[in-house]
Amino acid sequence: MAKKINLEKSVSELVKEYPEVKDIMAGLGFKDITNPVALSTVGRIMTIPKGAQIKGIEMDKVISTFQEHGFEIEKEAANPAPKTDSAAAAAPAGSQETGGSTDEAPASTPEERSQLLKSYVARLSAGEDLEAVRQEFVKNFRSVDAAEIAKAEQELIQSGARISDVQRLCDVHSALFHGATKEEQIARAEQAVMDSLQSKTGADASAQEFAKITSHPVNVFLAENEELGRRIQVTQIALAAGASNEKTASTIPAVRAASIHYARKGDLIYPLLNRTYGFSGPADVMWGVDDEIRDELTELDQSHGDLPDFRQRLTKVLDRAQEMIYKENNILFPLCIQKFSEEDWMRIYYEMPAYDTILAGGYPLWKEAEEKRAELKTIGGKTVRALKEEGGQDSSEKAGQIPAENARIPLGSGHLTRAQIEAVLNTIPMEISFIDEQNINRYFNDGEKLFKRPDMAIDRDVYSCHPPKVQEIVKGIIESFRDGSQSSVEVWMEKKGEPVLVRYMAVRDEQGNYLGTMECVQKMGFAKGRV
């Protein structure tokens, strides 16, 4: 019996009917078909003729190739007329094509909307024209919630897409969600966050009041983004005006201040969104893009314009930085506002002064958070408020399993009080961190840090504190300590013009059982000339 190919069917349907179609199409140049994620998303709405048009592959060649493999092309489908209704082309399986108005979105349930959003991203990854996909998006979505975008992005990763692949698409698919002009972007970005701030549907009922608090962390991040946008524009004007490479490069340090903003976001926002609220996709993807923008700006700055492709690279990274501003304002922060509690925001506020800011006046004071600072202080992994709720002020030490301040604790050949132990650890001239055998952050000593370690990271897994590209390295070190193949790892680097030694050491008991990992960071500038 002859095998018949109906070219009006989706690629996914054809592969399900004839599995060998996948190999035939891959041989023709449709490489994306070998990606299970692309097949299950874009493949559901993509036909062979439409894919051939995108890839620039002649249909005559496609038809003859299938015929060589024993397929018969159904006559009525051999030269299908292009669909004029792009919304109908994107409709989920089972929906009816009316050929009429697209005022109503074909997807109404959360599941259908998520599937449609994923299909847009997947189609972009397959090479379809951005503007064509964006027009379809506008027709089908009057509005899109930050959580919907985050969920679609995360499901792509969970269904098999590599974080690095989604990360490369980050700048492109974020363009789906905003207007074509810079003025539209700025206006809509500000309005989107204000709408979320004033919404009563967030995790905390008082979220609607955040818009009135200039010192709230979200408003601080927004103010920084506004300033970053101005700095980016200065550099873009220099490029457009034809200024020399050297003069244009002199404006880059001001833009590089984005790294300050990204560092604070990476330590305080992403881990909380990821580990506490389960949105790993957006956190991982955006964190990776932050690192790429920061690294590219650093290289361009240090080149002083002396690179053959300097202007092209600078133009591209400035566009990426602008896209990140838009994505933060319209997706990341509205999502965080929906999910984070008032206590979350206050603890973020307490951590922020440890980081630099690009705001001229520094960090503003949040009166309500200051009034709760004492009760939200963390002791032994628990807030003072939580300890009081467990057993009252007098029993808080017992509830937190913390010995009294003046109690003597047997230690080695002697004994020390808790206050003395803390003072000794804080006096050691290095940054000390301890991760237990379950890979959980359990202790950071106090003092100024080259590598920020927010209190919020205590009782959170160590991997959440590192961007995606570093997580596998950290995991490899810890696992080598656990299996006994290594006991220490040394890393030398330069930080703020000074040599720094970072040592990771396995911590074991007397029987050699692995108890955890200690990280020590020590400035080594004092040793210059002494060896």
Side-chain angles (χ1 to χ4, degrees):
M1 181 177 178
K3 297 179 289 185
K4 295 184 178 182
I5 286 285
N6 185 331
L7 296 182
E8 289 186 340
K9 289 185 177 181
S10 71
V11 172
S12 179
E13 289 177 296
L14 293 176
V15 170
K16 185 175 182 180
E17 187 175 2
Y18 302 112
E20 62 267 37
V21 165
K22 184 195 298 185
D23 293 331
I24 296 171
M25 291 186 66
L28 280 164
F30 298 92
K31 299 297 183 183
D32 299 296
I33 197 172
T34 60
N35 184 331
V37 178
L39 183 60
S40 65
T41 52
V42 69
R44 292 180 58 185
I45 48 86
M46 186 72 71
T47 63
I48 289 178
K50 190 171 183 179
Q53 183 180 15
I54 293 171
K55 294 289 188 181
I57 301 172
E58 294 291 334
M59 274 303 298
D60 288 343
K61 180 180 179 182
V62 173
I63 291 173
S64 63
T65 300
F66 273 103
Q67 289 173 337
E68 289 171 5
H69 284 80
F71 284 93
E72 178 183 329
I73 307 300
E74 294 186 358
K75 292 182 179 180
E76 64 271 22
N79 295 291
K83 295 180 184 290
T84 58
D85 187 349
S86 59
S95 64
Q96 294 183 350
E97 296 178 9
T98 63
S101 171
T102 58
D103 288 342
E104 292 188 8
S108 57
T109 69
E111 291 76 16
E112 289 175 338
R113 286 170 66 87
S114 177
Q115 186 63 36
L116 198 53
L117 284 171
K118 286 190 291 183
S119 77
Y120 293 146
V121 175
R123 285 165 62 185
L124 289 171
S125 72
E128 192 165 347
D129 179 65
L130 168 62
E131 193 54 39
V133 179
R134 176 157 56 194
Q135 288 176 8
E136 193 169 301
F137 168 82
V138 172
K139 288 180 180 179
N140 289 289
F141 286 89
R142 287 191 178 91
S143 63
V144 61
D145 185 78
E148 287 188 277
I149 299 172
K151 183 172 182 287
E153 196 171 61
Q154 183 159 330
E155 286 180 354
L156 278 171
I157 295 173
Q158 290 176 337
S159 62
R162 293 178 299 179
I163 291 176
S164 58
D165 290 338
V166 181
Q167 183 176 307
R168 281 195 292 271
L169 288 170
C170 178
D171 304 319
V172 179
H173 68 65
S174 69
L176 284 175
F177 310 116
H178 61 68
T181 69
K182 301 301 180 187
E183 290 76 13
E184 283 181 285
Q185 293 181 32
I186 294 170
R188 290 187 60 188
E190 182 176 350
Q191 188 58 49
V193 178
M194 290 303 103
D195 288 346
S196 288
L197 285 169
Q198 293 166 353
S199 170
K200 296 182 181 181
T201 61
D204 190 89
S206 63
Q208 59 185 320
E209 299 299 320
F210 291 165
K212 305 174 185 177
I213 305 171
T214 57
S215 51
H216 186 276
V218 164
N219 287 321
V220 172
F221 276 110
L222 289 176
E224 284 192 333
N225 272 342
E226 187 175 354
E227 173 61 23
L228 282 172
R230 283 194 290 266
R231 297 183 182 194
I232 290 169
Q233 190 174 37
V234 169
T235 305
Q236 288 174 325
I237 290 172
L239 281 168
S244 68
N245 284 7
E246 185 178 2
K247 184 174 182 180
T248 302
S250 70
T251 68
I252 296 178
V255 182
R256 278 187 66 190
S259 62
I260 295 171
H261 178 91
Y262 294 163
R264 189 182 336 105
K265 183 175 56 164
D267 286 353
L268 305 182
I269 299 293
Y270 292 148
L272 184 62
L273 184 64
N274 184 347
R275 294 307 198 259
T276 303
Y277 295 100
F279 285 88
S280 60
D284 287 345
V285 171
M286 293 177 73
W287 205 343
V289 175
D290 288 346
D291 284 347
E292 291 179 355
I293 293 171
R294 181 202 62 208
D295 293 346
E296 180 72 346
L297 285 171
T298 299
E299 185 172 346
L300 291 172
D301 182 25
Q302 293 175 348
S303 76
H304 303 293
D306 189 20
L307 289 170
D309 55 351
F310 171 78
R311 301 182 79 82
Q312 294 90 335
R313 287 173 61 179
L314 182 56
T315 298
K316 183 177 179 181
V317 76
L318 292 176
D319 287 343
R320 297 193 80 192
Q322 279 189 317
E323 285 293 344
M324 183 54 70
I325 289 173
Y326 184 88
K327 196 166 185 181
E328 284 182 20
N329 290 3
N330 284 270
I331 301 174
L332 179 64
F333 297 140
L335 176 62
C336 292
I337 290 162
Q338 290 180 25
K339 301 300 178 183
F340 292 3
S341 68
E342 182 182 59
E343 182 175 315
D344 290 332
W345 288 119
M346 287 185 173
R347 295 188 69 188
I348 290 171
Y349 165 81
Y350 301 144
E351 301 283 3
M352 287 173 68
Y355 299 79
D356 292 332
T357 177
I358 64 174
L359 300 179
Y363 293 108
L365 188 72
W366 184 3
K367 182 180 177 182
E368 291 81 359
E370 290 296 337
E371 291 173 351
K372 295 183 179 181
R373 183 183 287 271
E375 65 180 282
L376 292 181
K377 179 181 178 182
T378 302
I379 299 177
K382 297 184 180 181
T383 63
V384 171
R385 175 196 289 175
L387 293 174
K388 287 181 179 179
E389 290 173 353
E390 288 182 14
Q393 179 67 45
D394 293 338
S395 60
S396 64
E397 290 176 343
K398 180 179 179 181
Q401 297 183 334
I402 303 170
E405 193 75 19
N406 58 354
R408 293 282 173 175
I409 302 170
L411 200 64
S413 59
H415 47 80
L416 297 169
T417 66
R418 176 164 61 89
Q420 289 171 336
I421 293 172
E422 289 181 349
V424 168
L425 290 170
N426 292 336
T427 302
I428 297 173
M430 60 181 64
E431 301 168 23
I432 301 173
S433 302
F434 176 70
I435 301 99
D436 72 9
E437 74 282 2
Q438 299 300 319
N439 307 329
I440 305 298
N441 295 315
R442 294 303 186 190
Y443 172 79
F444 309 140
N445 66 339
D446 292 335
E448 186 179 350
K449 300 284 196 302
L450 283 172
F451 299 95
K452 306 300 182 186
R453 291 172 176 80
D455 289 345
M456 294 174 64
I458 293 294
D459 294 336
R460 188 184 290 155
D461 70 276
V462 65
Y463 306 121
S464 69
C465 304
H466 297 83
K469 68 178 183 180
V470 177
Q471 288 178 11
E472 288 304 313
I473 298 173
V474 175
K475 186 177 295 185
I477 291 173
I478 290 177
E479 290 308 311
S480 73
F481 291 170
R482 191 188 307 279
D483 65 25
S485 58
Q486 291 193 103
S487 291
S488 68
V489 172
E490 293 186 357
V491 178
W492 285 88
M493 63 181 67
E494 187 171 293
K495 197 81 169 174
K496 297 182 179 180
E498 183 174 2
V500 173
L501 173 61
V502 181
R503 294 194 70 190
Y504 302 93
M505 294 170 281
V507 178
R508 310 186 194 280
D509 63 18
E510 293 181 355
Q511 287 73 43
N513 299 311
Y514 175 75
L515 300 179
T517 295
M518 183 166 69
E519 177 188 10
C520 296
V521 178
Q522 186 174 16
K523 296 179 182 179
M524 298 300 292
F526 72 91
K528 285 183 177 179
R530 296 190 181 185
V531 179

